[in-house]
Amino acid sequence: MSNRFNNEIFEQLTWQVESGADELIEEESQNRLETETPLSDDSNRQPANKVSNNVDSELNISEKIAQSNSYNILTPNEICSTCNSIKELASAIEAYKGCSLHRTATNTVVFDGNPKAKLMIIGEAPGAEEDRSGRPFVGNAGKLLDRMLAAIDLNRNDCYITNILYWRPPGNRTPTTDEINLCKPFVKRQIEIVDPSVIILAGGISAKALLDRPEGITRLRGKWYQISTSAKLKPKYAIAMFHPAYLLRQPQAKREAWEDLQEVRKKLAITS
Ligand code: URA
């Protein structure tokens, strides 16, 4: 009897997971990955809901609480206007609770790489691996991105890597227009502060969000656009490319990605 009961539960759960219901969403996020006793190979893991790159470790607790309180009533644009460095902005994004995705995420994922880089790469949103580690593009798509960069003699230290969203959408679902619009000021402020010469918009979500155009990535990719964030800064050259996750699913599209990477290499050589 109890075996039959267990089998039924197992089958029901399997059916739910296969249908995509693989997240348990609660009002407050619970980090079930964190154990009381650190696991032996865990020295690199960040504590739950800590921003990547340890940018917040230098802020004392009262600063953090003050930030959290005020950031809950400020809009992203107002928050951005108070941040003049990537460190400040990353802490502010972590403290921001206006995007409900933070409730189901383990970590806030802001950036990786070099805030002084000439090349900025903007993806879509953290996936499962990124949510666990607190760093963007560390899963399979990230590994392909690393190989794509190596093909034009670059590595992560030559780029600043971020996303449109800073919390993983449950089950990796497509971000909603509201979530994208809510988070957009944060990526625009990153562009202003990093001030790169060239931007890669990786995938349709990133390209559509920052180019404000309705076309899909197949039409947008491979062309140069200009992104203006403020009157004070010169516009940035931006190219839309297929997302590395798409290239993993559709390897035949790597030919176009290769052409786009050559464009990036040429543009980097002629821009300061
Ligand atoms: N896909 C993205 O767009 N960003 C990541 O950080 C990881 C996967």
Side-chain angles (χ1 to χ4, degrees):
M1 180 69 181
S2 91
N3 256 355
R4 204 181 119 216
F5 181 69
N6 283 343
N7 284 347
E8 273 172 19
I9 292 191
F10 182 75
E11 274 167 25
Q12 280 169 20
L13 284 172
T14 307
W15 183 84
Q16 285 184 10
V17 170
E18 283 169 358
S19 316
D22 59 356
E23 302 282 331
L24 179 64
I25 300 177
E26 299 175 51
E27 272 304 301
E28 292 300 323
S29 65
Q30 308 282 326
N31 184 3
R32 303 191 195 282
L33 299 171
E34 202 156 70
T35 51
E36 301 254 314
T37 356
L39 301 172
S40 52
D41 62 346
D42 240 10
S43 51
N44 290 331
R45 182 180 291 167
Q46 307 234 359
N49 284 321
K50 284 286 173 282
V51 74
S52 63
N53 283 27
N54 292 327
V55 284
D56 61 346
S57 58
E58 286 165 46
L59 293 176
N60 69 37
I61 192 72
S62 58
E63 282 171 314
K64 283 215 68 168
I65 290 167
Q67 275 193 347
S68 293
N69 288 339
S70 61
Y71 287 142
N72 287 335
I73 51 163
L74 296 175
T75 65
N77 272 320
E78 288 165 336
I79 293 167
C80 286
S81 67
T82 68
C83 296
N84 294 312
S85 69
I86 288 298
K87 188 173 143 177
E88 284 175 345
L89 186 58
S91 294
I93 295 172
E94 190 205 356
Y96 179 64
K97 303 287 179 254
C99 178
S100 58
L101 290 176
H102 83 87
R103 295 208 209 115
T104 46
T106 307
N107 277 301
T108 303
V109 181
V110 181
F111 79 98
D112 197 17
N114 179 357
K116 294 195 163 62
K118 275 175 74 172
L119 175 63
M120 184 160 176
I121 301 171
I122 305 174
E124 178 178 321
E129 295 277 318
E130 291 76 18
D131 182 51
R132 264 194 286 278
S133 69
R135 288 174 63 210
F137 282 102
V138 292
N140 288 338
K143 289 187 182 104
L144 177 57
L145 178 66
D146 287 343
R147 293 202 296 279
M148 290 163 68
L149 290 172
I152 52 168
D153 299 319
L154 298 176
N155 62 40
R156 281 186 180 236
N157 280 334
D158 302 310
C159 331
Y160 178 93
I161 304 175
T162 187
N163 282 308
I164 299 284
L165 299 185
Y166 308 97
W167 302 274
R168 180 192 182 209
N172 294 348
R173 66 159 169 73
T174 304
T176 65
T177 307
D178 282 351
E179 287 159 358
I180 293 170
N181 288 338
L182 198 60
C183 292
K184 215 153 69 165
F186 292 130
V187 77
K188 290 199 159 184
R189 188 69 186 130
Q190 287 177 87
I191 297 173
E192 284 174 356
I193 295 173
V194 175
D195 196 20
S197 334
V198 175
I199 299 175
I200 294 178
L201 303 169
I205 295 285
S206 164
K208 279 192 201 177
L210 285 163
L211 300 175
D212 279 323
R213 296 180 59 136
E215 301 99 308
I217 188 66
T218 309
R219 282 185 186 276
L220 293 175
R221 64 145 284 277
K223 302 182 194 101
W224 286 104
Y225 304 87
Q226 295 215 326
I227 295 182
S228 298
T229 50
S230 81
K232 279 185 251 148
L233 291 168
K234 60 180 188 320
K236 315 283 172 250
Y237 291 103
I239 191 166
M241 287 183 59
F242 287 133
H243 193 287
Y246 175 77
L247 297 175
L248 288 172
R249 293 192 303 272
Q250 305 287 338
Q252 75 281 6
K254 284 183 182 168
R255 193 170 60 84
E256 281 99 329
W258 173 252
E259 288 166 9
D260 299 344
L261 283 173
Q262 298 309 316
E263 283 293 318
V264 170
R265 190 208 290 262
K266 277 190 252 164
K267 191 65 96 183
L268 281 171
I270 57 170
T271 51
S272 53

